Amino acid sequence: MTTATLRQLGRLGGKGLLHGGWIGAVLAAAILAGICIGETAIPPETVLMTLANRLFGAGFVLDRIDQGIVWNYRLTRAIIAACCGASLAVAGVILQSLLRNALAEPYLLGISAGASTGAVLVTVAGLGAGAVSMSAGALAGALSAFLLVALLSRASGGGTGPRAAGQIVLAGIAGSQLFNALTAFIITRSASAEQARGIMFWLLGNLSGARWDNVAAAVPVALAVTLVCLWQARSLDAFTFGVDSALSLGVPVRRLQALLILAAALATAVMVSIVGSVGFVGLVVPHAARFLVGVRHSRLVPASALMGALFLIAADVVSRIAVPGQVLPIGVVTALVGAPVFAVILIRRRPAR
Amino acid sequence: MLECQQLGWSTRGQSILRAVDLRVRQGETLGLIGPNGSGKSTLMRLLAGVLTPSAGAVRLEGRDLASLRRREIAQAMALVEQQAETADRITVRDAVELGRTPWLSALRPWGAEDDAIVRSALEVVEMSGFAERDWLTLSGGERQRVHIARALAQRPRILLLDEPTNHLDIHHQLGILQLVARLLVTTVIALHDLNQAMGCDRLGVLHQGQLVALGTPAEILTPSLLRDVFGVRATFLTDPADGSRIIRFHPLS
């Protein structure tokens, strides 16, 4: 390796640190806002003092209940929302790029539905007798759903051409319906009425169950999927003119597809098993990010991750304060934003000729 | 340089290409001609390593393509497809920069050298002034030029062009062919227009998935071959402007 290359790498590392710095600051500010805003507003000083107490043992005198709300309830919630948003947005970027399809997204392709089925199979029907974790069940469900949808769209003449855009969404609808029906079937068969109500609420996307052990799972997954995707940014760029073009540019397409689809499925599965299926994040965020930073993945991936995190923190705040005395499922909020965006993309994608 | 032996490809039990033996010589422009469905595109894609042969093998500088890494293949060979399109909002420069993909990695980031290569590739195809233009605003001919620039940015030793003049108006067809003729790289080009194919150093003729003839244009483009392969009667004229031969086609009966 030449010194020039080393210097270049050094500059790249410096740039990474610089961007990492401001992205971290923006995220921290958003999480702080997410903690403060709520049905009972908590002043930022209280939040910061609580964090200081917990993290550095600062010993400020504070109301124990406030401290509890901040540390065990709102902070975990905001962190999980950020991780979930980032993961789903990056999963959307991956699917849109690999499938060359502007409408590809974990929720629309039925991957979230498959993950729900897998999670419910483990928790409610007791599959694996406790040896299998909910996330592992969700991952198996997510992968089988993707496989089913991919095969179905291929069998219906999809492939990767422009016509495939419609086919794969149709296949996704079929997949979603099937897996949602399976989920409902499992719940009706195996869950008590009390359990069923809880699960139904969770399925629509619900952050109120977010605890510290979830944070320990969500943060590494969100970081990993973003970094893996960023590491492969150039290869994803090479798909601009389709799969054959990527191959002739030296991208090991099969291996990359396997790696990234596994990453997207894993991210979706872990987030679904914590939050339930939150739709449209993977659709809205990457499109907004493309609008702001362009289509190059070296910028699109970090931008999508950041914007996804911010979007879901904001959606969570809205879900808590929109209806006084009630918490909306976060999936309802994202769908209210996402469905119109979906419609706009659909209209703008109509063939120009 | 690039050769194939007993190369075959079949899909869904149907044989598309059979027993093709071909050896591309250093520095030449080898044209591939043949009627629709004769297997030109399939052969191009097999040579490029985009398709995996069902029989036989493609060898690049003596080594089997199957044993090479994708990256190594892409550093030696570039493919320009018939019509590769995108709906992404990219600039001309973005598209050409893709050509550097096989040379870059996490340990070998983008550098000044890459900028220079992209700039010179744009110069070769005379699109320097278009670098910041949006892909979607380009005409078909301009897009094809950019694809060629992208292929050149790969710094390949062999360039594979699959009917690069397809769907272009005559002005742009001639422009692309002139451009290809100027390039100093070994080229394999699939062509539809037989008069344009006259400009190649050698021609290979594909018919029903087989390579039925290989030689200089003068040896290949004979009335009997044009009748047997393309199903036309041909008469040869001489252009009074420069004395070159032109083929005129008539229906058989």
Side-chain angles (χ1 to χ4, degrees):
Chain A
M1 204 186 294
T2 63
T3 46
T5 315
L6 278 176
R7 208 172 315 129
Q8 248 165 25
L9 278 178
R11 209 163 40 226
L12 219 66
K15 244 168 61 179
L17 273 181
L18 180 74
H19 288 304
W22 74 259
I23 286 173
V26 170
L27 266 182
I31 289 175
L32 183 63
I35 299 172
C36 295
I37 308 168
E39 204 148 15
T40 43
I42 298 175
E45 311 86 83
T46 315
V47 176
L48 289 175
M49 281 193 275
T50 307
L51 296 184
N53 280 353
R54 287 297 187 146
L55 294 173
F56 313 113
F60 293 110
V61 185
L62 289 168
D63 184 82
R64 281 180 60 105
I65 295 174
D66 275 1
Q67 274 208 58
I69 290 178
V70 167
W71 186 255
N72 289 321
Y73 183 69
R74 291 208 183 153
L75 178 59
T76 51
R77 204 174 163 123
I79 293 175
I80 295 280
C83 292
C84 182
S87 302
L88 293 176
V90 173
V93 171
I94 291 175
L95 293 169
Q96 282 155 25
S97 176
L98 289 183
L99 301 173
R100 303 303 315 142
N101 190 327
L103 297 175
E105 194 251 350
Y107 183 78
L108 287 170
L109 292 191
I111 299 175
S112 302
S116 308
T117 308
V120 167
L121 258 180
V122 172
T123 49
V124 180
L127 190 81
V132 181
S133 78
M134 189 167 159
S135 299
L139 178 60
L143 285 174
S144 27
F146 179 79
L147 209 64
L148 178 82
V149 170
L151 288 175
L152 191 57
S153 81
R154 172 171 283 195
S156 67
T160 49
R163 213 171 74 86
Q167 297 295 347
I168 200 154
V169 173
L170 288 179
I173 292 173
S176 301
Q177 294 297 328
L178 173 67
F179 282 100
N180 285 337
L182 282 174
T183 307
F185 179 76
I186 297 162
I187 292 172
T188 322
R189 227 183 94 100
S190 314
S192 65
E194 182 63 23
Q195 250 183 329
R197 223 183 30 241
I199 291 165
M200 282 318 208
F201 198 63
W202 162 73
L203 280 180
L204 281 170
N206 181 8
L207 279 162
S208 50
R211 296 292 172 267
W212 279 107
D213 51 336
N214 300 135
V215 173
V219 173
V221 166
L223 281 177
V225 69
T226 307
L227 290 178
V228 164
C229 195
L230 192 56
W231 173 49
Q232 295 294 347
R234 257 180 216 294
S235 303
L236 285 171
D237 285 341
F239 280 81
T240 303
F241 291 101
V243 174
D244 283 0
S245 166
L247 276 170
S248 72
L249 286 169
V251 176
V253 167
R254 281 276 162 76
R255 224 174 53 210
L256 186 76
Q257 282 172 332
L259 170 74
L260 289 181
I261 283 173
L262 189 69
L266 177 71
T268 311
V270 169
M271 297 313 151
V272 163
S273 55
I274 299 171
V275 184
S277 56
V278 180
F280 296 100
V281 180
L283 182 78
V284 174
V285 173
H287 281 284
R290 269 188 208 98
F291 191 72
L292 288 178
V293 303
V295 296
R296 284 301 200 64
H297 287 85
S298 52
R299 289 199 286 172
L300 178 61
V301 171
S304 296
L306 176 62
M307 289 169 67
L310 299 181
F311 177 56
L312 228 63
I313 291 173
D316 178 46
V317 169
V318 171
S319 79
R320 280 184 284 138
I321 59 175
V323 184
Q326 288 278 352
V327 178
L328 281 174
I330 191 163
V332 171
V333 179
T334 58
L336 282 174
V337 178
V341 172
F342 178 86
V344 169
I345 296 168
L346 205 60
I347 292 165
R348 285 198 14 204
R349 270 187 60 81
R350 77 181 185 279
R353 278 161 286 180
Chain B
M1 275 213 98
L2 181 66
E3 58 185 313
C4 57
Q5 288 145 358
Q6 291 301 302
L7 191 65
W9 195 73
S10 43
T11 180
R12 292 180 190 172
Q14 210 178 0
S15 167
I16 307 294
L17 207 67
R18 278 184 310 281
V20 173
D21 287 307
L22 188 66
R23 174 172 256 170
V24 183
R25 296 177 191 152
Q26 175 115 33
E28 75 170 339
T29 298
L30 175 68
L32 291 176
I33 54 174
N36 287 340
S38 59
K40 293 191 297 286
S41 279
T42 305
L43 179 54
M44 291 301 274
R45 282 151 56 94
L46 283 166
L47 290 176
V50 170
L51 290 177
T52 312
S54 335
V58 179
R59 298 172 78 79
L60 173 67
E61 289 157 353
R63 296 164 71 192
D64 192 337
L65 274 195
S67 72
L68 293 172
R69 294 191 308 138
R70 286 254 161 242
R71 180 181 278 270
E72 294 176 285
I73 299 173
Q75 288 175 350
M77 268 198 297
L79 170 70
V80 175
E81 296 165 278
Q82 264 184 46
Q83 257 188 326
E85 274 311 326
T86 185
D88 288 349
R89 296 193 68 96
I90 58 167
T91 63
V92 167
R93 187 193 302 281
D94 287 333
V96 178
E97 284 184 357
L98 290 179
R100 298 307 296 156
T101 307
W103 300 93
L104 302 170
S105 71
L107 291 174
R108 163 63 177 86
W110 187 272
E113 186 195 345
D114 301 294
D115 276 325
I117 289 172
V118 167
R119 213 176 309 126
S120 85
L122 279 167
E123 267 164 34
V124 171
V125 303
E126 292 166 356
M127 292 287 285
S128 298
F130 287 68
E132 306 308 326
R133 276 276 292 275
D134 197 325
W135 173 264
L136 300 171
T137 67
L138 300 183
S139 73
E142 289 163 350
R143 287 180 190 189
Q144 206 57 291
R145 279 175 185 274
V146 176
H147 276 309
I148 293 174
R150 194 252 307 144
L152 292 177
Q154 273 174 261
R155 284 288 156 106
R157 301 190 283 281
I158 302 169
L159 186 59
L160 304 170
L161 301 153
D162 189 4
E163 297 197 26
T165 57
N166 221 359
H167 306 296
L168 298 185
D169 58 42
I170 186 67
H171 173 75
H172 285 111
Q173 286 188 21
L174 295 182
I176 295 283
L177 289 170
Q178 262 181 343
L179 163 62
V180 170
R182 273 208 317 272
L183 300 176
L184 296 170
V185 59
T186 308
T187 307
V188 182
I189 181 169
L191 284 169
H192 216 74
D193 186 310
L194 300 178
N195 277 309
Q196 292 177 353
M198 299 266 243
C200 296
D201 296 318
R202 285 196 304 157
L203 288 179
V205 183
L206 283 163
H207 185 42
Q208 294 173 351
Q210 286 183 297
L211 187 69
V212 294
L214 183 65
T216 64
E219 293 164 5
I220 295 296
L221 295 172
T222 58
S224 64
L225 180 128
L226 292 171
R227 185 189 60 231
D228 296 343
V229 174
F230 292 91
V232 293
R233 185 168 63 82
T235 47
F236 290 82
L237 314 174
T238 304
D239 185 346
D242 61 356
S244 58
R245 275 208 319 170
I246 300 165
I247 317 171
R248 181 151 183 263
F249 305 100
H250 314 270
L252 267 185
S253 51

